[in-house]
Amino acid sequence: DQQVKQNSPSLSVQEGRISILNCDYTNSMFDYFLWYKKYPAEGPTFLISISSIKDKNEDGRFTVFLNKSAKHLSLHIVPSQPGDSAVYFCAGTSGSRLTFGEGTQLTVNP
Amino acid sequence: ETGVTQTPRHLVMGMTNKKSLKCEQHLGHNAMYWYKQSAKKPLELMFVYSLEERVENNSVPSRFSPECPNSSHLFLHLHTLQPEDSALYLCASSQDFPNEKLFFGSGTQLSVL
């Protein structure tokens, strides 16, 4: 049973436009959600997080939205830049263990 | 050096070989992790050590054997692996456990022939 799903394996966006990456989860016990970014030949790096008691968290160009009733999480990047091209993983946690999605490859075209 | 360092970056081994993956963190963290990433699959947690004690063992086959001699070093000893064990093995650390903010190394890309 995959508790975190990222249904889009890839997304292509024009530079300057908005990138929206989506994530669905099934575990209602998750109390914290995170996004990690991974460049080729590097490990994932933490990007942004949100507590389950909030519906929005913003950090510069990155905003994460949480819709608990729909069990849906999204990451908005505005404006998108070529350097944002990477694999983005969402993850949920209920205390001791992070459960990751499969990742979405974002490509931002100049 | 800063961050989390993993060696080797690439490893090719036969099914009868014994090899070890090494991870070192320079962040002063108290928890270290091994994750496995197979192609097109989510990252899977394998082991967690907190203050050098194993706190999670996620039903990993015994052909994978972790070792944490101190809070800065983590090893994954490999023996009699199968071709389906070919994957990217990622080490991570966190300030403490549990902690959702992980700092990952670049990984070891393992191929089992």
Side-chain angles (χ1 to χ4, degrees), chain B residues 47 54 57 59-66 76-81:
Chain B
F47 302 104
R54 192 189 307 181
N57 180 351
S59 302
V60 179
S62 59
R63 56 185 184 269
F64 295 91
S65 174
L76 188 62
H77 304 297
L78 316 171
H79 62 99
T80 59
L81 294 194

Side-chain angles (χ1 to χ4, degrees), chain B residues 22-49:
Chain B
K22 179 183 175 182
C23 177
E24 184 174 0
Q25 59 97 0
H26 308 271
L27 301 168
H29 288 170
N30 291 319
M32 296 187 78
Y33 308 72
W34 280 116
Y35 276 86
K36 174 184 177 183
Q37 187 182 19
S38 304
K40 308 281 190 210
K41 288 189 176 180
L43 279 77
E44 300 172 53
L45 178 64
M46 300 177 74
F47 302 104
V48 183
Y49 278 82

Side-chain angles (χ1 to χ4, degrees), chain A residues 2 4 9 32 34 36 38 40-46 49 87 89 93 95-103, chain B residues 9 33 35 37 40-45 48 56-58 88 90 97-107:
Chain A
Q2 197 167 327
V4 178
Y32 222 80
L34 304 95
Y36 280 78
K38 184 181 184 300
E42 294 183 16
T45 56
F46 170 79
S49 63
V87 178
F89 295 96
T93 181
S96 66
R97 179 183 298 195
L98 278 174
T99 302
F100 285 89
E102 312 95 316
Chain B
R9 293 295 302 271
Y33 308 72
Y35 276 86
Q37 187 182 19
K40 308 281 190 210
K41 288 189 176 180
L43 279 77
E44 300 172 53
L45 178 64
V48 183
E56 288 254 359
N57 180 351
N58 195 20
L88 179 67
L90 289 159
F97 179 81
N99 193 319
E100 63 279 349
K101 189 170 179 182
L102 304 182
F103 293 77
F104 285 88
S106 300

